[in-house]
Amino acid sequence: MTADQDPPAAPGGGQPGSPAGPVRLWGGRFGAGPADALARLSVSVQFDWRLAPYDLLASAAHARILHKAGLLDGTELARMLAAIDDLAEACRTGRFRPSASDEDVHTALERGLLERVGSLGGKLRAGRSRNDQVATDLRLYLRDQARTIVSRLAELEDALIGQAQRHAAVPVPGMTHLQHAQPVLLAHQLLAHVQAFARDASRLRDWDRRAAVSPLGAGALAGSSLRIDPDAVAAELGFDSAAENSMDAVSDRDFAAEFCFAAALLGVHLSRLGEEIALWSSQEFGWIEIDDAYATGSSIMPQKKNPDVAELARGKAGRLIGGLTGLLTTLKGLPLSYNRDLQEDKEPVFDAVDTLLAVLPAMAGLVDTLRFHAERLAALAPAGYALATDLAELLVRRGTPFREAHEVVGHLVVWCQVNDCELAEVSDEDLARVSPLLTPDVREVLSVSGAIAARSSRGGTAPSAVAAQLARLQEDVQGQAAWAAS
């Protein structure tokens, strides 16, 4: 079969015009079919088959545009739409599957259409190319999957918020450089992860606005001389507009690269949370107990309880970053407009979707079932002279330059290290020996609850500030879930 001829009659009494052999969407100027090596290299249906529902959705919209342009009459349109609906159902149920001879999803679906309506199916080819088809399909697919990802992400955020609410008054050692720094509320630290995930959700929502441009109607690269209406098909498919430049429409993969970036950064944030959970569950930290349903054991050591979900979240980040890097490398040297290199855009994108939709529910379940050891956390909160900054800031409030206050408190920390005691355990006499600025009343800031309560500015760790932050995040997550359901 060539691009410009009706397919031959099918054997065994098939419909006139249904395919008798392999369907190709090109070939008129070739005297023979492709070499086996080329065919094996060229085939993509094994991974792009997941675009089938979106290709059929776009095909139905394109059929209506062809009817509007006078290229399909009413009867032909009805037959075409009925065949597309039947093919879509057959794809959903598995009654129709790609064959070994199908080059890609478009070839397979055209074969299915020709089997149903014969040569009429060939009319759907008018005014479009695989170049604008695949760009449209991939945008439709990713806009759909972005909403599913945001929905799963909102579930993880809800789990973190729930833990923050259940442990609203629990202090923990806040750390920098993995060293005790200042006491903070556990809720504050958990919500720090929610803030990052909320940015990920916002990034995907912002990405969606740029991805909402339809390439359909761009043809191979130059548009179409047929009286088709790209804006009408864009509106039917839920896009905000049609592409302004047909060459850009078929060659642009910014939307795929940007999606992979958003996925990779989300993966980095999942990895960071996973790293903390792995640390917290260790004997050295002893902050949490992981629920049995989200841990594994050892094949040789009976006592082991391993944080596999957290570790896999950490590991999958590398996969997501690798997919982004590979796609950007593919795109970096391509001339306008379409090049076959762009076949390589799908696997990293599909893998990013699959990876996130596997990791996010597991992490949500892990977080939701964590058991925090509140008493141990409270005991550790002031350890490592974590109240030193509060003491220095008290001296500043009393008029001491911060440089001097920093030095005085540093000397006090050294004194405590030498004498193996905490700041609050130093006697009045010893405070005075270190510096006359350290009067007995400085003890008012040497308590965890006082230090935390004092940091009440926006973004601080005081209970009032954390409560306000939590309320804002709950509203944000609700908005994310509502967008995902749209």
Side-chain angles (χ1 to χ4, degrees):
M1 185 187 78
T2 70
D4 302 314
Q5 298 172 331
D6 284 344
Q15 292 192 56
S18 60
V23 172
R24 288 204 306 273
L25 304 186
W26 52 275
R29 58 95 64 217
F30 290 86
D36 289 343
L38 170 59
R40 286 193 296 272
L41 177 64
S42 181
V43 68
S44 63
V45 73
Q46 73 274 18
F47 55 81
D48 66 18
W49 180 245
R50 71 171 70 192
L51 296 178
Y54 304 94
D55 195 81
L56 289 166
L57 188 69
S59 289
H62 186 64
R64 282 186 276 270
I65 294 303
L66 292 178
H67 174 251
K68 184 178 178 181
L71 300 172
L72 287 177
D73 62 32
T75 300
E76 290 174 324
L77 175 63
R79 287 181 62 205
M80 187 80 79
L81 293 178
I84 290 172
D85 287 345
D86 181 71
L87 183 55
E89 179 62 21
C91 290
R92 278 194 294 271
T93 61
R95 288 188 292 110
F96 182 85
R97 299 289 298 166
S99 72
S101 62
D102 290 325
E103 184 178 14
D104 53 29
V105 62
H106 317 293
T107 308
L109 293 177
E110 176 152 318
R111 175 174 60 82
L113 197 59
L114 292 173
E115 288 171 357
R116 283 158 174 78
V117 292
S119 60
L120 173 61
K123 288 194 171 186
L124 196 59
R125 294 264 297 281
R128 71 175 184 177
S129 159
R130 282 188 296 182
N131 297 358
D132 61 347
Q133 268 185 272
V134 72
T136 302
D137 295 351
L138 192 55
R139 285 175 185 258
L140 288 169
Y141 168 83
L142 284 179
R143 295 188 71 205
D144 202 8
Q145 298 304 314
R147 284 160 171 77
T148 304
I149 289 168
V150 169
S151 180
R152 299 291 84 79
L153 183 55
E155 293 168 0
L156 174 56
E157 293 172 274
D158 279 334
L160 286 162
I161 288 171
Q163 289 284 16
Q165 290 172 317
R166 292 192 288 275
H167 301 90
V170 175
V172 299
M175 297 186 181
T176 63
H177 309 280
L178 209 58
Q179 305 293 315
H180 286 222
Q182 294 178 264
V184 298
L185 290 178
L186 172 58
H188 194 50
Q189 182 153 353
L190 294 173
L191 294 182
H193 289 288
V194 181
Q195 294 286 355
F197 292 135
R199 289 194 298 274
D200 290 319
S202 176
R203 195 171 290 111
L204 284 167
R205 294 173 69 177
D206 186 56
W207 164 87
D208 183 68
R209 287 193 289 272
R210 282 184 294 283
V213 177
S214 171
L216 207 57
L221 79 160
S224 176
S225 64
L226 304 175
R227 292 185 297 113
I228 60 174
D229 186 348
D231 290 310
V233 76
E236 179 169 344
L237 293 173
F239 291 108
D240 293 342
S241 66
E244 292 283 353
N245 184 297
S246 58
M247 294 181 73
D248 179 60
V250 299
S251 61
D252 168 38
R253 291 300 184 273
D254 289 5
F255 70 95
E258 189 178 353
F259 178 87
C260 283
F261 170 76
L265 191 52
L266 171 52
V268 168
H269 293 152
L270 288 165
S271 177
R272 184 168 63 178
L273 176 59
E275 170 69 5
E276 292 210 325
I277 290 173
L279 286 172
W280 295 347
S281 66
S282 68
Q283 292 294 320
E284 287 71 21
F285 273 74
W287 288 18
I288 59 171
E289 177 76 17
I290 294 177
D291 190 86
D292 286 356
Y294 292 94
T296 66
S298 165
S299 61
I300 188 172
M301 294 170 284
Q303 83 282 8
K304 291 295 294 297
K305 188 174 186 180
N306 300 324
D308 282 28
V309 170
E311 292 173 350
L312 286 168
R314 214 169 48 189
K316 295 292 187 182
R319 186 182 189 116
L320 292 164
I321 293 167
L324 169 63
T325 303
L327 178 56
L328 289 174
T329 304
T330 297
L331 298 176
K332 73 173 183 62
L334 298 185
L336 290 175
S337 58
Y338 181 84
N339 297 273
R340 192 61 183 273
D341 312 51
L342 292 178
Q343 180 172 300
E344 297 300 309
D345 63 351
K346 295 168 199 64
E347 288 180 284
V349 165
F350 295 160
D351 189 69
V353 169
D354 293 344
T355 297
L356 289 176
L357 293 182
V359 172
L360 285 168
M363 284 293 282
L366 170 65
V367 169
D368 189 54
T369 56
L370 288 178
R371 293 184 291 280
F372 286 88
H373 301 313
E375 291 184 4
R376 176 169 172 77
L377 290 169
L380 289 171
Y385 314 107
L387 298 171
T389 304
D390 297 273
L391 183 53
E393 289 179 348
L394 174 64
L395 298 181
V396 169
R397 290 196 297 273
R398 293 179 175 181
T400 304
F402 185 78
R403 182 183 183 85
E404 183 180 347
H406 190 285
E407 187 168 348
V408 166
V409 177
H411 289 324
L412 178 60
V413 168
V414 172
W415 193 95
C416 289
Q417 289 175 324
V418 170
N419 291 276
D420 192 24
C421 65
E422 290 292 331
L423 297 175
E425 296 171 346
V426 183
S427 68
D428 292 348
E429 294 77 12
D430 289 331
L431 284 172
R433 287 191 186 97
V434 173
S435 172
L437 295 173
L438 298 175
T439 54
D441 57 356
V442 299
R443 298 180 191 282
E444 68 185 63
V445 298
L446 297 181
S447 72
V448 170
S449 60
I452 289 175
R455 288 171 163 74
S456 58
S457 59
R458 182 183 177 97
T461 193
S464 58
V466 171
Q469 177 191 178
L470 191 148
R472 288 191 293 269
L473 283 171
Q474 284 180 308
E475 184 177 353
D476 189 356
V477 173
Q478 290 171 0
Q480 295 168 27
W483 178 83
S486 66

